[in-house]
Amino acid sequence: MTITASTFREEAGRLQPKLVEIRRELHQHPELSQEEFETTRRIRGWLEEIDGIRILELGLKTGVVAEIEGAMPGPTIALRADIDALPVKEETGLPFSSTIPGKMHACGHDFHTASIIGAAALLQKQAPQLKGKIRLLFQPAEERAVGAAELIAAGALNGVDAVLGMHNKPELPVGTIGLRSGPLMASVDRFEISVSGKGGHAAIPDSAIDPVVVSSAIVTALQSLVSRNVSPLDSAVVSVCRLEAGSTWNVIPDSAILEGTVRTFQPETRERIPALMQRIAEGVAQGYGAAAELKWIPCIPAVNNHSEMTEIMRSAALAQGLNVVEAAPTMGGEDFSLYQEKVPGCFIWMGTSGTEEWHHPKFTLHEDALAVSAALFAEAAVLALASVQMK
Ligand code: NI
């Protein structure tokens, strides 16, 4: 027997009530990054209900890694879902709203998790026909951008040849996916600039070096970093989000702190920015007789989709009768990019007919997308097994 696209579509349709049940149970019990203990326990339970799936014991505090073994040898394809929730007070009024005060699955990671459990059930059923293995990554702490690194350090990616993942997209309808080869989401880095001046009396500024004035000049000068140093055909964002100085109204403080984030798409741009930023901060400060020091805190690279894996997702979506549109890139970040640094991967937007943007207290999604994405990821995994070369 061979696996056909309609096999997955029909099977996913039958699974739909169970996927809704899984998603709603997760939705009612959201847990924040690195605290996903009950979520982990629930995922393990659901996977154990699927005969034949093997949970890999990697010593993770939270999160689950499991594997489906096909009857024949072949590559290993990873499917990734993030599992954490947000410190948001839910205001959807849904009967299955969060039961945990101040916490909510406001980014739809409950949907991602239920979908990939669905894909796992579909694939395990076809295990006698599969050539290779499917690795299931239920990743904690995406919101804090540390979960992917934890999984990689634990060995979750060992032996994996390619990785596929998604994020729900409220503005796309159910049955549509957003696809894009190349950069889809930006790199995320953090910076801190300490400005040292000389404190004094507010009424005697000539005897002080005012770090407030220096910091303001640095903030203004940084606005030219993107417009004058980054190609107009590339994109980058520099945002100063915190500026702290002084403790009262009539004293010039002796120091100030600026903190913010930089987002880029191209690795070359990402590499160039810290030195440019340092030059601007130091140069401006020096002009005022002050000093500035840059602390650069690298976080995650850009989500950059591999062309071959993108074509596999396209073929899978078309085989499943889905509508494929060019994905709009975003300057937001995703630690899925850390997997893509190791193996070829593709990250897609999954249409969910939502009414609000991610992280909104009234964030919703249409549950019909559960069966759609379960079938799509099962289909894509099978296509990837057939075409990805083993390392
Ligand atoms: Ni999210």
Side-chain angles (χ1 to χ4, degrees), residues 74-326:
T76 300
I77 307 301
L79 303 181
R80 180 271 209 163
D82 43 9
I83 67 170
D84 54 332
L86 288 159
V88 170
K89 186 176 174 292
E90 180 158 0
E91 292 173 13
T92 61
L94 288 167
F96 55 88
S97 286
S98 169
T99 58
I100 318 278
K103 297 179 190 175
M104 176 190 176
H105 268 292
C107 203
H109 297 186
D110 51 344
F111 164 80
H112 304 161
T113 302
S115 298
I116 297 303
I117 291 173
L122 299 177
L123 287 161
Q124 179 59 47
K125 206 167 172 188
Q126 304 302 329
Q129 271 77 247
L130 297 182
K131 291 187 175 125
K133 295 176 185 171
I134 309 295
R135 182 79 51 85
L136 305 159
L137 310 177
F138 294 96
Q139 182 208 301
E142 187 282 324
E143 297 292 355
R144 290 190 51 207
V146 294
E150 282 176 15
L151 249 60
I152 292 169
L157 224 50
N158 293 354
V160 167
D161 297 290
V163 60
L164 300 170
M166 67 159 152
H167 206 289
N168 67 83
K169 195 72 171 155
E171 49 277 53
L172 293 180
V174 175
T176 293
I177 70 158
L179 196 63
R180 181 187 166 89
S181 185
L184 179 71
M185 299 181 79
S187 62
V188 178
D189 295 308
R190 192 176 137 196
F191 65 85
E192 226 182 76
I193 299 171
S194 334
V195 176
S196 312
K198 188 179 162 202
H201 196 292
I204 318 170
D206 48 305
S207 69
I209 299 171
D210 188 347
V212 175
V213 174
V214 178
S215 301
S216 309
I218 291 175
V219 173
T220 307
L222 286 176
Q223 306 310 308
S224 71
L225 202 158
V226 174
S227 77
R228 302 295 92 176
N229 293 282
V230 174
S231 160
L233 303 175
D234 188 10
S235 300
V237 173
V238 175
S239 287
V240 177
C241 302
R242 186 170 77 91
L243 203 171
E244 220 172 276
S247 54
T248 187
W249 64 281
N250 59 355
V251 175
I252 293 173
D254 59 4
S255 64
I257 288 270
L258 291 83
E259 195 181 13
T261 182
V262 173
R263 311 291 169 107
T264 63
F265 281 134
Q266 300 300 335
E268 313 80 64
T269 311
R270 185 184 186 209
E271 274 165 37
R272 282 175 57 224
I273 285 185
L276 291 167
M277 190 171 255
Q278 188 168 1
R279 195 177 74 190
I280 291 172
E282 283 176 4
V284 169
Q286 207 175 28
Y288 286 84
E293 199 184 327
L294 173 81
K295 190 170 149 201
W296 184 259
I297 304 136
C299 193
I300 47 171
V303 169
N304 203 340
N305 286 332
H306 190 268
S307 56
E308 189 195 337
M309 298 312 296
T310 306
E311 285 320 302
I312 288 171
M313 284 306 307
R314 187 188 309 279
S315 305
L318 296 177
Q320 284 296 318
L322 305 184
N323 184 28
V324 179
V325 298
E326 176 76 6

Side-chain angles (χ1 to χ4, degrees), residues 49-73:
E49 283 173 22
I50 309 168
D51 241 8
I53 288 188
R54 189 162 65 94
I55 292 174
L56 307 187
E57 301 301 345
L58 300 179
L60 294 166
K61 198 163 69 100
T62 56
V64 184
V65 178
E67 199 163 81
I68 295 167
E69 187 155 5
M72 290 154 282

